[in-house]
């Protein structure tokens, strides 16, 4: 019994893995929480979640901190894409023993609609409203204070 601890931890603990459409392609980013004995990554793409997947990198994408347990942040701009097509990505990490672990698939499907951008812009503005209300209230209180202060003289 290992007391609930995985006796064979994987090389990489993934913190995030996303695919975001850009003007010139799809930006695939991933961030690791830790990279134990990681020798590198391979990135794969398909037009269906079930595959088949094609490897995008010609050579292994090296870890940012080889030999360290530290986390890293990575990005790959996939420019060989067609507008309006949904792509799926898988990430493979390989450890020093040659053990391969796959992550994903992820897709660009959730962020391709224009309404998502509009919702993000709307969601970014409410922080200004409380500030404006607060300033208006402070100005109102200042006016009331001045009126009362001058009336009492």
């Amino acid at each position: 019994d290992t007391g609930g601890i995985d006796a064979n931890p994987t090389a990489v603990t993934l913190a995030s893995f996303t695919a975001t459409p850009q003007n010139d392609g799809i930006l695939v980013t991933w961030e690791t929480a830790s990279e134990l004995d990681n020798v590198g990554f391979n990135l794969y793409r398909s037009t269906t979640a079930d595959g088949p997947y094609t490897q995008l990198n010609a050579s292994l994408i090296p870890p940012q901190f080889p030999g360290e347990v530290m986390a890293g942040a990575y990005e790959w701009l996939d420019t060989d894409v067609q507008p309006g097509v949904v792509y799926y990505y898988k990430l493979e990490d390989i450890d020093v023993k040659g053990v391969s672990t796959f992550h994903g698939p992820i897709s660009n499907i959730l962020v391709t609609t224009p309404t998502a951008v509009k919702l993000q812009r709307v969601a970014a503005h409410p922080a200004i409203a409380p500030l404006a209300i607060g300033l208006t209230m402070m100005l109102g209180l200042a006016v009331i204070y001045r009126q009362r202060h001058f009336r009492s003289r």
Side-chain angles (χ1 to χ4, degrees), residues 33-106:
S34 66
E35 297 182 23
L36 179 64
D37 296 330
N38 179 30
V39 294
F41 300 94
N42 288 312
L43 185 63
Y44 299 86
R45 177 188 65 211
S46 177
T47 53
T48 64
D50 295 333
Y53 282 82
T54 303
Q55 185 172 328
L56 298 178
N57 52 303
S59 59
L60 203 60
I61 300 167
Q64 290 181 343
F65 303 102
E68 301 289 331
V69 182
M70 297 178 66
Y74 303 84
E75 58 181 43
W76 179 281
L77 183 60
D78 187 5
T79 56
D80 187 22
V81 295
Q82 300 297 317
V85 176
V86 175
Y87 293 98
Y88 296 86
Y89 295 90
K90 282 188 176 183
L91 182 67
E92 175 187 31
D93 69 73
I94 302 171
D95 74 7
V96 293
K97 296 176 184 173
V99 176
S100 166
T101 305
F102 279 88
H103 308 273
I106 60 161

Side-chain angles (χ1 to χ4, degrees), residues 55 57 106 111 128 141 151:
Q55 185 172 328
N57 52 303
I106 60 161
V111 290
I128 294 171
L141 290 173
R151 284 184 194 158

